[in-house]
Every structure is written in structure tokens, then in C-alpha cells.
């Protein structure tokens, strides 16, 4: 009889369901498993970060051309905000992927905004402010991403401990 109960608990644990109330769920978490709801919430969080990066790239493309005298002040501030966005998103998600997703979407949106349309329209021009915004923002995104600590210890993939996350 106990063998059938053990098999039922194992089957429920594989499906991500707790076998005995919270005891099964805590045992599953201690074993390093993830329930289906956790994966859905993580995916939704990354989707929100992608939307944040896209929205920031779109709005920034339209306001990057504001000058204070001869200095492209808005482009400099926006490049700094790209750094802050990447860094905070990565720290919030607990790894570099959280910083990479909005930075990558930001870069794609801004790159599309630098292309000339058939009508001749151009959102991000090839001027000083356009270069500071695009190139400076790319550098800021890379630096912000690299300043986020990785989710796993360095070299974990090489030493066969890649499955264990840092607590």
C-alpha cells in the first residue's frame, strides 16, 4: 500500500502538484523543481521587460534630438537611462537575461527607427544626437548588462554544476 502512495506522490511531483499540501510543494522546491505556474510568471515577466525596452526605444527615438545649446542633452540622458534600465531589470530578475531582454528589444527598435522609409522620413537622424543616442545607448546597454551578477557561479557550466542556482 505504501508503494502505491509513494508512486502517486512522485507522479504528482512530476506534474508540479503538491502531494501532501505544502509538504509536497516544499519538497519539490527543495529538489530544485519548478511548478508550471512559476514558468508562466517568469515568461510573463520577461515579456513585460521586452515591452518596456521596446516602449523606451520608441519614445526615446522621438525625443533624442533635444539640444541644450550645442550639447545633445536628451541623447546623453537617454543613453544613461538605457544603462539604468538594463541594470535594474537584470538585478530585479536575478540574472543577466533579465538585463539582456529589454536592452536587446531597445536596440532592435532604435535600429528600425534609424532606417530611412521610402517617403524619405527618418526618426533617428545621422547627427550627433542620433549617434550619441544609438551608439552610446548600445554601449550603455552592454555595460549595464555586464554589471549584473550572473545567476550561476562563474564556470558552473564547465564544472558540471550548471543545474544548481546560487542561493
Amino acid at each position: 500500500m505504501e508503494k502505491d502512495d509513494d508512486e502517486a506522490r512522485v507522479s504528482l511531483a512530476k506534474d508540479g502538484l503538491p502531494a501532501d499540501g505544502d509538504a509536497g510543494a516544499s519538497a519539490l522546491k527543495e529538489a530544485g523543481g519548478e511548478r508550471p505556474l512559476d514558468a508562466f510568471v517568469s515568461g510573463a515577466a520577461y515579456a513585460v521587460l521586452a515591452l518596456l525596452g521596446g516602449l523606451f526605444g520608441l519614445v526615446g527615438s522621438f525625443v533624442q534630438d533635444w539640444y541644450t545649446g550645442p550639447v545633445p542633452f536628451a541623447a546623453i540622458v537617454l543613453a544613461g537611462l538605457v544603462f539604468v534600465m538594463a541594470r535594474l531589470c537584470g538585478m530585479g530578475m536575478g540574472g543577466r537575461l533579465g538585463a539582456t531582454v529589454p536592452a536587446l528589444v531597445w536596440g532592435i527598435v532604435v535600429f528600425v527607427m534609424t532606417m530611412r522609409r521610402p517617403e524619405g522620413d527618418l526618426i533617428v537622424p545621422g547627427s550627433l544626437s542620433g549617434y550619441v543616442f544609438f551608439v552610446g545607448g548600445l554601449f550603455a546597454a552592454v555595460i549595464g548588462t555586464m554589471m549584473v551578477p550572473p545567476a550561476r557561479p562563474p564556470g558552473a557550466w564547465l564544472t558540471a554544476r550548471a543545474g544548481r542556482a546560487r542561493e
Side-chain angles (χ1 to χ4, degrees), residues 88-167:
L88 288 180
C89 289
M91 296 295 281
M93 292 299 289
R96 289 186 179 157
L97 183 62
T100 303
V101 169
L104 182 66
V105 174
W106 175 88
I108 291 170
V109 168
V110 173
F111 179 73
V112 168
M113 292 294 168
T114 62
M115 289 191 234
R116 190 173 301 275
R117 296 186 43 198
E119 298 87 22
D121 295 342
L122 187 63
I123 305 298
V124 179
S127 63
L128 177 63
S129 65
Y131 288 127
V132 168
F133 176 61
F134 186 50
V135 177
L138 287 176
F139 280 125
V142 169
I143 292 169
T145 301
M146 297 313 295
M147 288 186 70
V148 174
R152 295 184 184 136
W157 62 274
L158 186 60
T159 60
R161 294 183 300 161
R164 299 183 194 145
R166 194 183 301 179
E167 295 293 325

Side-chain angles (χ1 to χ4, degrees), residues 11-81:
S11 175
L12 287 172
K14 285 182 183 177
D15 292 337
L17 302 172
D20 293 329
D22 286 336
S26 63
L28 183 63
K29 276 301 203 188
E30 288 174 8
E34 190 174 272
R35 293 180 291 190
L37 182 62
D38 294 340
F40 177 76
V41 170
S42 294
Y46 285 116
V48 168
L49 291 180
L51 286 173
L52 172 72
L55 183 66
F56 188 68
L58 184 66
V59 171
S61 295
F62 284 102
V63 299
Q64 52 79 30
D65 203 22
W66 295 349
Y67 281 83
T68 302
V71 179
F73 184 71
I76 294 169
V77 169
L78 287 169
L81 287 176

